[in-house]
Amino acid sequence: MAKYHQGYFKPQNPKKYKGDPTNIIYRSGWELRLMTYLDTHKDVINWSSEELARRVGSTRPTIHRIETTEGIPSTNAKTLLAIKEQFEAAGIEFTGTVEQNPGVSLR
């Protein structure tokens, strides 16, 4: 099994964040790669968890729970698919699988 990564993310573009940009926690290597990618690409949209929840027909607490879950979140598969679709519509392509070579790229 892969080693579990966790720590504080230090954004290069703190103005893209709502809330406290000094208190952003990643809980996996995949999440760290995604955060780095989103932070460093100017084309990535500035969405709050409230905005993402509205776009996928969910709630902010559900989005927060998904963001803070270690590993694959145990939530409604439709919600996870809707989140993935929103990111893809914004130009983000998911590569690999959760288990092997997960990553993202900008189309």
Side-chain angles (χ1 to χ4, degrees):
M1 183 167 210
K3 184 178 177 183
Y4 177 70
H5 301 284
Q6 182 173 341
Y8 284 92
F9 178 70
K10 295 177 183 159
Q12 294 178 20
N13 299 292
K15 291 183 179 181
K16 288 177 92 175
Y17 297 85
K18 296 184 186 212
D20 183 0
T22 65
N23 193 28
I24 303 170
I25 300 172
Y26 63 89
R27 291 173 175 78
S28 69
W30 179 87
E31 193 173 43
L32 175 59
R33 284 190 297 275
L34 178 63
M35 287 178 173
T36 301
Y37 182 83
L38 297 174
D39 181 56
T40 57
H41 285 80
K42 64 181 175 126
D43 296 329
V44 174
I45 300 168
N46 179 4
W47 285 345
S48 65
S49 54
E50 291 85 0
E51 174 65 15
L52 182 57
R54 185 189 67 73
R55 288 175 175 266
V56 301
S58 188
T59 64
R60 194 216 50 84
T62 297
I63 299 299
H64 178 73
R65 184 172 41 79
I66 291 168
E67 292 174 333
T68 59
T69 297
E70 178 182 336
I72 300 170
S74 60
T75 192
N76 186 319
K78 288 181 182 179
T79 301
L80 293 176
L81 181 59
I83 291 169
K84 180 177 181 276
E85 289 171 350
Q86 284 298 312
F87 282 123
E88 288 174 339
I92 297 169
E93 180 179 3
F94 291 86
T95 60
T97 67
V98 174
E99 297 84 20
Q100 191 171 38
N101 299 321
V104 293
S105 65
L106 191 59
R107 286 187 243 150

